[in-house]
């Protein structure tokens, strides 16, 4: 059955997407561990279908400041992925990689932004690898873009770009555990409807 809206997803289809989120999160923890040269674990993430307003509220509201790395799905699937990074994640990564204490987003310089963009790109790539392995077809992503903005401004990009396709997104929310500290992780996956159906078909749940 062809899915025409995220609300049409069955419980079996959601379970399949949750499993991808779980494996992708595990891949991301391994990748982050290698980047930081620290032991990194990941708790079991929650995977939900949310509207834009719900997503904004879950991330702290439209005026909450955050960092985001965005990539487009350009081969195998069409759509977008975002890794939303809040200050606890940035502080831990920059302290480990650059020995920098971060107390506010305004302190980030070009080197900080470059490091965060590369980390975000590696983590998003790890999720894409998990999806590709499950689906059995190649998926590629664009060169990443990075921004620091209010959540409302960050989400305005997928709202505009994906408006004709969907008003919903798949949110994978969990926590990295680094040296005993829980650090939030928020991945947004927004495939177009054709790509979502292709993915579900490849997983045998369409």
């Amino acid at each position: 059955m062809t899915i025409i809206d995220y609300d049409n997803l069955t419980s079996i289809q959601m379970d399949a997407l949750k499993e991808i989120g779980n494996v992708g999160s595990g891949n991301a923890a391994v990748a982050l561990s290698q980047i930081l040269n620290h032991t990194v674990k990941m708790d079991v993430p929650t995977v939900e279908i949310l509207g834009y307003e719900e997503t904004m509220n879950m991330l702290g509201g439209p005026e909450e400041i955050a960092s985001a790395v965005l990539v487009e799905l350009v081969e195998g699937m069409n759509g977008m992925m975002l890794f939303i990074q809040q200050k606890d994640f940035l502080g831990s990564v920059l302290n480990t990689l650059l020995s920098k204490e971060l107390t506010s987003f305004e302190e980030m310089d070009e080197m900080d932004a470059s490091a965060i963009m590369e980390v975000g790109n590696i983590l998003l790539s790890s999720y894409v690898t998990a999806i590709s392995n499950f689906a059995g077809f190649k998926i590629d992503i664009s060169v990443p873009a990075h921004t620091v903005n209010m959540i409302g401004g960050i989400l305005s990009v997928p709202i505009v770009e994906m408006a004709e396709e969907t008003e919903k997104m798949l949110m994978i929310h969990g926590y990295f555990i680094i040296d005993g500290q829980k650090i939030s992780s928020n991945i947004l996956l927004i495939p177009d409807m054709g790509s979502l159906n292709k993915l579900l078909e490849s997983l045998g749940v369409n």
Side-chain angles (χ1 to χ4, degrees):
M1 181 180 69
T2 300
I3 298 297
I4 59 173
D5 188 89
Y6 280 93
D7 292 331
N8 300 138
L9 288 166
T10 67
S11 59
I12 293 175
Q13 290 167 335
M14 276 301 303
D15 285 344
L17 294 176
K18 287 178 181 178
E19 184 60 22
I20 288 176
N22 288 339
V23 175
S25 296
N27 284 8
V30 171
L32 187 58
S33 177
Q34 293 171 343
I35 295 168
L36 301 181
N37 197 27
H38 280 244
T39 299
V40 178
K41 297 181 180 179
M42 185 85 180
D43 67 355
V44 177
T46 60
V47 181
E48 300 179 271
I49 301 295
L50 300 177
Y52 288 113
E53 291 292 334
E54 295 172 296
T55 304
M56 285 186 196
N57 292 334
M58 191 167 179
L59 292 171
E63 296 183 359
E64 179 79 7
I65 302 295
S67 166
V69 175
L70 180 151
V71 296
E72 294 185 37
L73 305 172
V74 296
E75 182 179 345
M77 295 177 66
N78 297 313
M80 307 179 78
M81 288 187 75
L82 292 91
F83 179 34
I84 310 293
Q85 308 133 359
Q86 293 168 318
K87 196 165 63 178
D88 58 350
F89 180 87
L90 300 182
S92 180
V93 168
L94 293 177
N95 181 260
T96 302
L97 294 181
L98 303 176
S99 300
K100 178 171 183 175
E101 295 289 341
L102 184 75
T103 59
S104 70
F105 287 103
E106 287 77 14
E107 295 175 1
M108 290 182 66
D109 58 25
E110 188 175 338
M111 182 178 292
D112 300 332
S114 178
I116 289 299
M117 184 168 66
E118 183 58 26
V119 170
N121 185 45
I122 291 170
L123 297 188
L124 287 171
S125 295
S126 71
Y127 275 90
V128 169
T129 297
I131 297 170
S132 181
N133 288 341
F134 263 88
F137 57 81
K138 182 181 178 181
I139 302 170
D140 204 359
I141 59 177
S142 68
V143 174
H146 173 258
T147 187
V148 173
N149 200 346
M150 291 187 292
I151 291 295
I154 291 170
L155 292 186
S156 69
V157 177
I159 287 173
V160 171
E161 293 291 327
M162 302 298 293
E164 294 185 4
E165 286 288 336
T166 180
E167 296 180 353
K168 298 290 181 70
M169 62 183 69
L170 188 73
M171 178 175 225
I172 306 166
H173 170 73
Y175 291 91
F176 292 114
I177 303 170
I178 307 174
D179 297 332
Q181 181 183 5
K182 293 181 71 173
I183 298 173
S184 58
S185 168
N186 298 289
I187 297 284
L188 305 179
L189 173 61
I190 320 167
D192 65 16
M193 288 297 102
S195 297
L196 179 61
N197 279 287
K198 179 181 179 180
L199 176 61
L200 293 172
E201 183 176 359
S202 71
L203 299 174
V205 291
N206 198 4

